[in-house]
Amino acid sequence: MKRIVTVLMLCALFVVASPVFAQASGSGGTKDIPSQSSLYPLRIDVVQILVHAQGYRVIYRKGSSELAAVHLPSAWFVSGGKAALIRGRGPEYPYMVVYYKEDGSISHIKLYAKDNIGDSSWGTIQGDPGDAFKVDNIKLEY
């Protein structure tokens, strides 16, 4: 009985460890990973996110003491779109990461917001914002 248990344990160990050895053999390796990305990420501290049916108005820090705002249309927040809203918890929320292409144009945006909509970082836009959300591209102030 002890011999059968020992053989079964050795077989289980071999099955569990075999993928580790297959990965270490160099098949696939780092040759498939590009050495440099064509995108440049820029992290921006967000003060408040104002919600409207047409999109989000993001108020962010410009420098150390000034604020600026950008309007992100809700049409950008679709699967495969130009922007994504990611909710989470933590002291680092809210913030935004803007990904620039090599030519300086914006590739896409990730807006990280707090889970709790009752938090002071969330707000709403009252009334009609006019043409504020009718944008094709945004320009951030630094």
Side-chain angles (χ1 to χ4, degrees), residues 18-131:
S18 62
V20 173
F21 296 118
Q23 290 176 357
S25 68
S27 62
T30 59
K31 295 182 274 186
D32 302 330
I33 300 173
S35 62
Q36 188 173 5
S37 175
S38 62
L39 298 178
Y40 174 75
L42 177 66
R43 185 187 184 279
I44 299 169
D45 289 325
V46 172
V47 176
Q48 193 172 32
I49 302 169
L50 303 174
V51 182
H52 191 270
Q54 296 177 14
Y56 299 96
R57 181 175 191 231
V58 180
I59 301 171
Y60 62 94
R61 293 195 191 281
K62 175 181 135 180
S64 60
S65 62
E66 295 182 48
L67 299 176
V70 66
H71 292 83
L72 305 175
S74 59
W76 289 6
F77 291 89
V78 294
S79 180
K82 201 169 188 173
L85 178 66
I86 301 158
R87 295 185 183 192
R89 289 180 225 152
E92 68 276 8
Y93 287 90
Y95 66 97
M96 178 170 62
V97 179
V98 180
Y99 293 88
Y100 286 96
K101 297 179 187 176
E102 289 178 351
D103 62 358
S105 64
I106 293 176
S107 170
H108 62 283
I109 299 167
K110 290 184 180 180
L111 180 59
Y112 294 87
K114 290 207 177 200
D115 269 344
N116 183 6
I117 297 178
D119 189 73
S120 63
S121 63
W122 284 98
T124 57
I125 298 175
Q126 301 297 326
D128 184 24
D131 293 336

